[in-house]
Amino acid sequence: MPIRTRTTLLLTLALTAGGLTGCSALAGYGDCEGSEDRVRALGALAILDTPPGKATPPRGYEKVDAGCWDDSGDAWVYANRTYAFPGTPEEVLRHYRTAAPRDGWRPGRTRPPAHGETIDLCFTREVDGTPTVLTVHSLTRESFTSAGDPFPPELATGSGFGVEATADASGAATDCES
């Protein structure tokens, strides 16, 4: 087989395999290098510090957790907050359905919450010119243990929830369906 044909076949195989696994040999933004400013911008979002009244961060979760991860082949920047709330999930939903649009977020998809969840909202907005997704979601014992984190006792009653902003580190468009 001619070398040109072999090279074409090998390249085709590599790109196809990469596409099937969610990775691309040609992607140039698979790491977090240079994402510091974007991480800071997400961590400073006012909506992360605007929970419903009486919501408090559990011990050990008092500050915004912000950073970048790149273990999936694409890099993502994120900022999130965890809250314990003595009220109902409906109160959390009502609060963010008002507070997020007031802060410039557009409502995204609406779908039934996943098993065991009672809170599931999604909004979109550009942050410093980058498409960004904001989610508000229930926190369950299972969500903590699957991540390897200890379950805060403050979340054992009421409605524990997380508020998270995420964006593709490359600045590519992202939405609530991602």
Side-chain angles (χ1 to χ4, degrees):
M1 184 180 322
I3 187 102
R4 185 174 183 184
T5 304
R6 269 188 286 181
T7 303
T8 302
L9 284 173
L10 286 173
L11 183 57
T12 301
L13 180 61
L15 292 176
T16 301
L20 293 174
T21 62
C23 301
S24 172
L26 300 179
Y29 54 88
D31 62 40
C32 291
E33 187 174 329
S35 65
E36 296 82 9
D37 289 342
R38 298 190 54 214
V39 169
R40 273 192 291 282
L42 289 187
L45 290 172
I47 195 71
L48 297 175
D49 293 317
T50 312
K54 298 185 182 176
T56 58
R59 191 175 352 202
Y61 295 88
E62 293 88 355
K63 297 180 180 180
V64 171
D65 174 30
C68 181
W69 74 89
D70 59 4
D71 62 351
S72 66
D74 292 326
W76 291 85
V77 291
Y78 69 91
N80 64 54
R81 289 295 307 261
T82 299
Y83 289 102
F85 181 61
T88 66
E90 291 77 22
E91 291 173 278
V92 174
L93 293 167
R94 193 170 33 255
H95 171 78
Y96 282 101
R97 284 182 179 138
T98 301
R102 195 177 312 134
D103 194 40
W105 295 91
R106 294 176 304 283
R109 59 111 170 95
T110 302
R111 65 177 173 88
H115 178 69
E117 292 185 350
T118 53
I119 302 167
D120 185 19
L121 294 173
C122 185
F123 302 89
T124 60
R125 177 183 125 182
E126 285 200 3
V127 175
D128 291 341
T130 301
T132 303
V133 172
L134 176 76
T135 57
V136 182
H137 53 277
S138 300
L139 293 174
T140 63
R141 184 174 302 279
E142 292 78 25
S143 64
F144 273 84
T145 55
S146 68
D149 296 324
F151 187 69
E154 298 95 327
L155 299 180
T157 60
S159 304
F161 66 94
V163 183
E164 182 172 41
T166 57
D168 184 310
S170 71
T174 190
D175 61 28
C176 288
E177 298 304 318
S178 298

